[in-house]
Amino acid sequence: MVNTIRLTTGEAIIKFLKAQYVEFDGKEQRFVDGIMNIFGHGNVLGIGEAMSQYQDDFTIMQGKNEQGMAHTAVSFSKQNLRRKIYAVTSSVGPGSANLVTAAGTALANHIPVLFLPGDTFATRQPDPVLQQVEQHHSVGITTNDALKPVSRYFDRITRPEQIMSALIRAFEVMTNPATAGPATIAISQDVQGEAYDFPVEFFEKRIHYIDRLNPSERSLEQAASLIENAKQPLIIVGGGAKYSEAQNEITEFMHNTGIPMVETQAGKSTILSSEKYNLGGIGVTGNSAANKYAKNAGLIIGIGTRYSDFTTSSKTAFNFENTKFININVNRVDAYKLDAIQVVGDAKLSINKLNDMTKNINCDVSHEVNKLKDEWLEERNRLSEIDTKAANYTPEIEGHFGEAHIRKYKKTLKTLLPQTNALIEVNNLIDDDAVIVAAAGSLPGDLERLWNSASFNTYNMEYGYSTMGYEVAGALGAKIANPEKEVYALVGDGSFLMLHTELVTALQYNKKINIVLFDNSGYGCINNLQMGNGSHSFCTEFNDYSGEVMNIDYAKIAEGYGAKSYKVDSIESLTSAINSSKKETTSTLIEIKVLPKTMTGDYDSFWHVGVSETSEKESINNARNQLEENLKVSKRY
């Protein structure tokens, strides 16, 4: 006879979550660290009541915005290299709708997170319940259906016993490196409180083994043969290399073969910036060294990259007439991209085996690598010392943003500080093991080009979805993951305005984060895109009703929440603020007023965006013609 225990569905879920563990490389740890929540009528009396009963040895955190707390969970998982997660619960309706953006963020970045939104009544007795949408063609559709396209796994629970198969399937998806992503289990409000006699063994400790996937000998032999005969090969280090912790194997492979590397946004801080074979970021947000070398590469070895348009410069970064590809990836779909030889396997195992098979290969490109790195270092030094007071000063970004416009910003924001100077100084001042978090705007481009990573896994960049508002919430997630380290959210004023309320959560739970806010009074990145493609500045600057530049006191906002804040308009005041913030025990915000158009520009790259095909403006027609020229060299698959 099967031993059973009578529990509500909500209780069964929490009891199950607490018993889930993962084992990776022989190390065992609990997989679900806790659960973040915002309660409403759709979850407070069901799963909420269960959480209150089973909170021992299980972290319960109250969020301030459903999207924000979910981004905290995403960043926590990302910082833990996908081997720990937080679950997230919300009420039905606007609460679950707010999870959609965060689910998209997790899906685009292959990050596991468990969403447990409430749902409408399974019995339908009180329909339409508060916050229930009604579709006349199907009463079975609820707000949670919006989560289906952005979930790796989705289920809806209308009976208590369904939770058993649903949870096991969700955990299979989340603990599989090839399918890692968000799992959504929507739970009918009434079912959360219904009781069922669950088998006792369902709640026993369960270990999910994250095994490293061995590549086939055939694919390794094909790859080794191609490497042996390659002219000017190049490695692209993506996020999969970081999650695999393949940094030592990749470094050994580079030193054995002499093959240099470039890095994607997700892959940055896998290999340290000081590594002699590291050319830096590639693609649209890449630097001149990486992009120039890639143009002439005869072989690309992609390690754990999904080849986004920013990595490939919209498929113009390489000479496709001569370039061949090897893709090492646990995800078969990503391994197939760009018609590559597919090495479907774990990055660490695959590179380790290739190391043994390519010991006699020595690709001596050190002269070219050193030359390109020296050129970029000279440019980076220039970008660290821009003098906006100089008579010959011109903005870094070209466009119709004239001298009078710059003067207006100087006057209103009361600053002469360029963004590149400030960012490089932040890089110089913070601790080597400090974690930075960023996501959207012009900062990702500046960071991939200019930021020097001095420790492994210290660069938490959300650029798979480029989600404005991830930064502050993401910093909280990174801090929960690394409580012993200083964590910095590098955020523009546009993203900060989009979503920053998890700063209150950080203060509430004494999780110190540091927000470094670059304020240029507008959506500067999109303004650059707009003007760089022939348009005039329109709806991308923060101007008030009278046309004046807005000068918002962000430091005062942070002070109102209870954070320590600083105002910065010079390198001297920035140095003082960073050093002082390190001594604080509470969260801080450093408001840096920077001039527009002082971020980095493009370096030998192209981004395919939707430029108008016809226009009365000559500048737009010219931009369209340039677009079509670039597309002539773009590979179409």
Side-chain angles (χ1 to χ4, degrees):
M1 187 172 180
V2 177
N3 268 346
T4 61
I5 179 172
R6 191 161 183 81
L7 298 168
T8 67
T9 306
E11 290 170 340
I13 292 169
I14 303 303
K15 194 172 177 63
F16 178 89
L17 296 186
K18 293 177 67 173
Q20 304 311 298
Y21 289 74
V22 295
E23 183 177 305
F24 182 77
D25 282 354
K27 181 184 176 182
E28 182 186 300
Q29 62 185 17
R30 182 186 274 184
F31 187 55
V32 187
D33 223 45
I35 186 164
M36 299 196 74
N37 70 87
I38 294 179
F39 288 145
H41 71 278
N43 65 343
V44 67
L45 299 178
I47 196 169
E49 172 59 22
M51 287 162 60
S52 73
Q53 292 187 59
Y54 289 92
Q55 59 185 299
D56 292 344
D57 192 30
F58 198 60
T59 304
I60 309 293
M61 294 186 71
Q62 176 196 82
K64 302 299 167 289
N65 174 284
E66 288 86 1
Q67 182 190 144
M69 70 175 179
H71 278 145
T72 297
V74 171
S75 178
F76 173 85
S77 176
K78 184 182 180 73
Q79 198 62 35
N80 276 293
L81 303 177
R82 309 192 297 189
R83 292 170 215 149
K84 276 189 177 185
I85 68 166
Y86 262 76
V88 175
T89 181
S90 72
S91 186
V92 69
S96 57
N98 280 347
L99 295 176
V100 172
T101 301
T105 303
L107 184 66
N109 289 277
H110 301 304
I111 303 297
V113 61
L114 178 62
F115 296 115
L116 299 168
D119 212 322
T120 55
F121 276 67
T123 63
R124 300 182 183 171
Q125 183 275 326
D127 286 5
V129 70
L130 181 66
Q131 297 183 335
Q132 179 176 345
V133 297
E134 290 185 280
Q135 279 286 9
H136 295 173
H137 65 277
S138 174
V139 294
I141 292 175
T142 75
T143 301
N144 288 326
D145 285 274
L147 285 158
K148 287 181 177 179
V150 287
S151 296
R152 189 74 72 191
Y153 173 79
F154 180 93
D155 206 344
R156 177 175 278 116
I157 304 302
T158 57
R159 290 286 307 146
E161 58 267 37
Q162 292 171 351
I163 203 67
M164 292 186 285
S165 60
L167 282 169
I168 288 172
R169 288 172 180 171
F171 274 77
E172 185 281 319
V173 166
M174 292 188 293
T175 59
N176 182 347
T179 61
T184 299
I185 301 178
I187 316 158
S188 298
Q189 182 181 153
D190 49 345
V191 175
Q192 291 178 40
E194 288 181 11
Y196 182 77
D197 294 321
F198 290 93
V200 169
E201 63 261 29
F202 181 64
F203 305 107
E204 292 175 357
K205 179 180 176 180
R206 180 179 276 102
I207 301 174
H208 305 268
Y209 294 92
I210 304 177
D211 296 320
R212 292 186 182 274
L213 178 63
N214 255 309
S216 69
E217 288 300 315
R218 172 200 48 77
S219 65
L220 289 171
E221 287 169 4
Q222 286 180 313
S225 176
L226 202 55
I227 293 168
E228 187 175 354
N229 298 298
K231 180 182 178 183
Q232 197 167 317
L234 177 65
I235 298 164
I236 297 180
V237 175
K242 184 186 291 184
Y243 299 134
S244 176
E245 295 185 87
Q247 63 271 25
N248 293 334
E249 286 70 21
I250 294 171
T251 301
E252 183 183 354
F253 182 69
M254 291 191 293
H255 284 249
N256 286 344
T257 61
I259 301 174
M261 58 150 284
V262 295
E263 55 197 2
T264 69
Q265 290 279 17
K268 194 173 176 74
S269 80
T270 302
I271 308 296
L272 305 188
S273 299
S274 58
E275 163 58 46
K276 67 178 181 178
Y277 288 105
N278 188 348
L279 286 162
I282 188 174
V284 178
T285 54
N287 65 36
S288 59
N291 286 337
K292 284 180 180 177
Y293 190 94
K295 292 281 187 189
N296 298 311
L299 172 66
I300 300 296
I301 306 169
I303 307 176
T305 178
R306 65 191 186 101
Y307 290 107
S308 76
D309 64 337
F310 262 56
T311 298
T312 68
S313 291
S314 297
K315 297 185 177 134
T316 64
F318 318 111
N319 181 350
F320 286 102
E321 295 298 319
N322 302 314
T323 306
K324 296 186 181 300
F325 292 82
I326 298 168
N327 291 341
I328 300 170
N329 209 300
V330 293
N331 187 304
R332 190 175 168 88
V333 172
D334 287 332
Y336 260 75
K337 289 178 179 175
L338 300 180
D339 199 22
I341 287 178
Q342 309 107 36
V343 180
V344 181
D346 172 74
K348 186 170 186 170
L349 281 183
S350 300
I351 291 296
N352 194 39
K353 293 191 174 195
L354 279 176
N355 254 323
D356 293 335
M357 300 171 73
T358 56
K359 282 184 175 176
N360 297 323
I361 296 172
N362 186 8
C363 170
D364 186 11
V365 292
S366 55
H367 176 74
E368 178 68 10
V369 168
N370 292 337
K371 174 175 168 288
L372 291 171
K373 288 189 73 167
D374 287 345
E375 286 177 4
W376 174 248
L377 180 60
E378 184 178 343
E379 171 66 356
R380 187 179 184 275
N381 289 337
R382 183 190 72 81
L383 291 166
S384 71
E385 299 173 343
I386 292 172
D387 183 3
T388 59
K389 293 179 284 188
N392 62 347
Y393 167 72
T394 55
E396 291 295 307
I397 305 296
E398 296 179 2
H400 310 288
F401 208 85
E403 187 179 335
H405 221 64
I406 291 288
R407 280 202 306 269
K408 184 170 74 168
Y409 275 87
K410 287 180 178 179
K411 179 182 177 182
T412 305
L413 296 181
K414 297 181 174 61
T415 186
L416 296 171
L417 186 59
Q419 182 165 299
T420 56
N421 294 31
L423 187 64
I424 291 171
E425 189 63 17
V426 172
N427 195 180
N428 293 336
L429 290 167
I430 69 171
D431 299 337
D432 285 350
D433 68 346
V435 177
I436 64 163
V437 179
S442 61
L443 284 169
D446 286 357
L447 284 162
E448 190 173 22
R449 295 183 186 110
L450 302 176
W451 194 264
N452 286 334
S453 300
S455 293
F456 174 73
N457 194 26
T458 52
Y459 186 85
N460 184 324
M461 174 66 71
E462 192 296 286
Y463 216 54
Y465 214 44
S466 187
T467 308
M468 295 181 73
Y470 170 87
E471 299 91 337
V472 175
L476 174 58
K479 183 65 176 181
I480 298 169
N482 295 132
E484 75 287 357
K485 296 180 180 181
E486 291 283 350
V487 176
Y488 296 84
L490 303 183
V491 59
D493 51 318
S495 271
F496 184 82
L497 290 171
M498 192 75 70
L499 181 63
H500 65 261
T501 46
E502 298 318 310
L503 169 58
V504 177
T505 309
L507 291 161
Q508 179 181 3
Y509 291 97
N510 195 27
K511 307 291 183 184
K512 183 199 173 186
I513 61 173
N514 305 285
I515 300 169
V516 184
L517 193 156
F518 293 79
D519 177 20
N520 60 11
S521 195
Y523 300 123
C525 174
I526 299 303
N527 184 268
N528 294 342
L529 178 66
Q530 184 180 54
M531 297 173 71
N533 284 279
S535 296
H536 295 286
S537 182
F538 175 67
C539 274
T540 49
E541 299 174 63
F542 293 165
N543 296 326
D544 67 15
Y545 59 91
S546 63
E548 293 299 314
V549 175
M550 297 183 73
N551 186 359
I552 298 171
D553 192 336
Y554 294 102
K556 193 172 288 185
I557 294 171
E559 285 177 7
Y561 290 143
K564 173 68 176 177
S565 65
Y566 307 85
K567 284 177 171 289
V568 167
D569 59 5
S570 67
I571 292 296
E572 293 73 24
S573 57
L574 174 59
T575 301
S576 176
I578 292 284
N579 289 335
S580 177
S581 69
K582 290 181 183 181
K583 300 172 186 175
E584 292 292 334
T585 57
T586 191
S587 294
T588 71
L589 182 142
I590 300 171
E591 176 192 307
I592 309 175
K593 300 294 186 186
V594 294
L595 282 179
K597 308 301 174 191
T598 58
M599 60 285 285
T600 54
D602 295 330
Y603 292 90
D604 301 281
S605 66
F606 160 72
W607 188 29
H608 187 178
V609 289
V611 180
S612 298
E613 191 169 358
T614 61
S615 174
E616 295 180 356
K617 296 178 182 175
E618 184 180 356
S619 57
I620 289 181
N621 290 328
N622 290 338
R624 179 69 190 195
N625 291 336
Q626 185 59 56
L627 168 69
E628 292 176 357
E629 283 299 310
N630 281 308
L631 288 177
K632 289 179 182 177
V633 299
S634 172
K635 198 154 187 172
R636 299 295 178 153
Y637 53 80

